[in-house]
Amino acid sequence: VTVHALPAPVITPGGPVTFCQGGGVSLSTGSFVTYAWTNNDQPTSASTQTIGPFGTGGSYCVTVTDANGCQATSDRVVVTVNPLPVPTINPEGATTFCAGSSVQLSA
């Protein structure tokens, strides 16, 4: 009887996993035979060792199969995409005035 150890997939981010909208990060794991990535428990179309760079937040994990046919699932990596700030300009006084006057603007 031969008992094979389960594979031990670990996800390694290719950069920060928290970034602003428009950014992205790639995720990769060790070398196995097959890969099935999920995001928020939904299958993705990715079936490779590395996915991304992508700018979609969520909770990612990967299920791998090794050469012995043994399967295991990694711990989750949470990717957070923060929205871009929306700047506003507020005048501190009238915005219509005569030449030589001014108005203070703050953001």
Side-chain angles (χ1 to χ4, degrees):
V1 175
T2 302
V3 177
H4 298 285
L6 290 175
V10 174
I11 296 175
T12 304
V17 293
T18 299
F19 48 85
C20 292
Q21 186 177 10
V25 65
S26 61
L27 304 175
S28 62
T29 189
S31 182
F32 299 98
V33 176
T34 65
Y35 310 87
W37 292 88
T38 61
N39 180 9
N40 298 328
D41 296 323
Q42 299 299 314
T44 69
S45 61
S47 60
T48 57
Q49 183 176 358
T50 300
I51 62 172
F54 56 91
T56 305
S59 176
Y60 289 85
C61 66
V62 63
T63 300
V64 299
T65 305
D66 68 10
N68 298 310
C70 299
Q71 283 190 338
T73 301
S74 70
D75 289 338
R76 295 182 179 280
V77 169
V78 176
V79 174
T80 303
V81 181
N82 294 318
L84 294 175
V86 178
T88 57
I89 299 175
N90 300 308
E92 295 179 14
T95 57
T96 303
F97 46 86
C98 295
S101 295
S102 65
V103 63
Q104 182 74 30
L105 301 175
S106 63

